[in-house]
Amino acid sequence: MLDAEHLALALVDDDPLFREIARGLLGSVGPYRLFESADSAGLRDILSSQNIDCILLDYDLGSETGFSIKQQIENELRSPPPIVMLTGDGRESTVIKALRMGIQDYVPKKNLRASDLKTAIMRAVEAHRAEARATAELEKLRSLSGTDAATGLLGRARLDEHLAQWAALPPKLKSSYGFIFADLLGFNSVSEQLGIKAGNTDWR
């Protein structure tokens, strides 16, 4: 169960009145650690100095949009915090675009309630952390398997292990094994055009 007291939020909105309203709503449902900004530059400063659990991001920031800011932080950060979009634009097309872009939740500013804001924050943070755990577990399993993530072939460490096992076999058994190494010219160009389909083959 998440504890609001330990969550750090970044609120990005160019309207100081709305930031005050949001600050009051958040204060009524949990002692969040709140950091405020009016634009992407301020958000960048916050993210560089604080471990933020969730970003509350306005859709319309004058010369910027919430979508453009999301793209910026994804380009700059390896693992950006989840985003809850706050906006007065209730058009269905905007909501659909936000969700397709990977924004975790969407809360209209009109008639905004503290409970709705808290629910969106908690849901976004929980989903983000669950995804991070799943990714970490996948990387762990991939590492244990000894395969290369890009090709699906054995990585160097596992290949060396197989070669050592083969070298330790009695001479009679070694004749039943073969190794093929290929250096493909223009491999990068081929993989960019056609993708990679690869696997290990073990004949016995």
Side-chain angles (χ1 to χ4, degrees):
M1 187 70 178
L2 288 176
D3 183 359
E5 185 173 358
H6 296 103
L7 293 183
L9 309 178
L11 172 62
V12 186
D13 196 298
D14 59 349
D15 183 349
L17 177 58
F18 180 78
R19 292 203 303 272
E20 184 177 346
I21 293 172
R23 190 186 314 128
L25 291 173
L26 290 168
S28 70
V29 291
Y32 297 100
R33 292 186 293 124
L34 185 63
F35 302 88
E36 300 179 26
S37 170
D39 52 31
S40 61
L43 174 61
R44 194 174 291 109
D45 290 340
I46 293 171
L47 294 175
S48 67
S49 61
Q50 304 293 332
N51 291 321
I52 297 298
D53 295 293
C54 185
I55 299 171
L56 304 176
L57 181 60
D58 185 23
Y59 170 70
D60 185 2
L61 292 162
S63 60
E64 301 176 294
T65 68
F67 295 153
S68 66
I69 292 177
K70 181 182 187 300
Q71 288 298 126
Q72 289 176 36
I73 63 174
E74 283 187 343
N75 292 337
E76 295 171 6
L77 299 179
R78 182 178 180 184
S79 181
I83 294 174
V84 172
M85 184 159 282
L86 306 171
T87 179
D89 181 357
R91 291 178 298 177
E92 185 178 352
S93 59
T94 304
V95 177
I96 292 173
K97 184 175 181 180
L99 297 178
R100 283 180 176 173
M101 287 187 66
I103 289 173
Q104 274 72 14
D105 216 330
Y106 181 99
V107 181
K109 287 183 175 181
K110 186 176 181 180
N111 301 321
L112 181 61
R113 297 184 303 176
S115 58
D116 293 337
L117 198 52
K118 179 179 180 179
T119 297
I121 292 168
M122 295 301 192
R123 187 162 51 207
V125 174
E126 286 174 348
H128 182 73
R129 291 184 178 180
E131 182 179 351
R133 287 193 297 270
T135 300
E137 184 65 22
L138 181 61
E139 288 300 320
K140 180 181 178 181
L141 292 173
R142 183 177 289 128
S143 175
L144 291 173
S145 73
T147 59
D148 181 87
T151 66
L153 297 170
L154 289 179
R156 178 60 185 267
R158 187 56 62 88
L159 181 58
D160 287 344
E161 181 183 323
H162 278 223
L163 289 172
Q165 291 173 353
W166 175 78
L169 289 173
K172 289 183 180 180
L173 294 179
K174 285 184 181 179
S175 62
S176 63
Y177 282 79
F179 296 92
I180 299 174
F181 295 89
D183 186 7
L184 302 179
L185 296 176
F187 177 77
N188 290 337
S189 176
V190 172
S191 66
E192 287 174 4
Q193 295 180 41
L194 303 177
I196 297 174
K197 181 73 173 179
N200 294 295
T201 301
D202 185 7
W203 289 284
R204 295 186 185 277

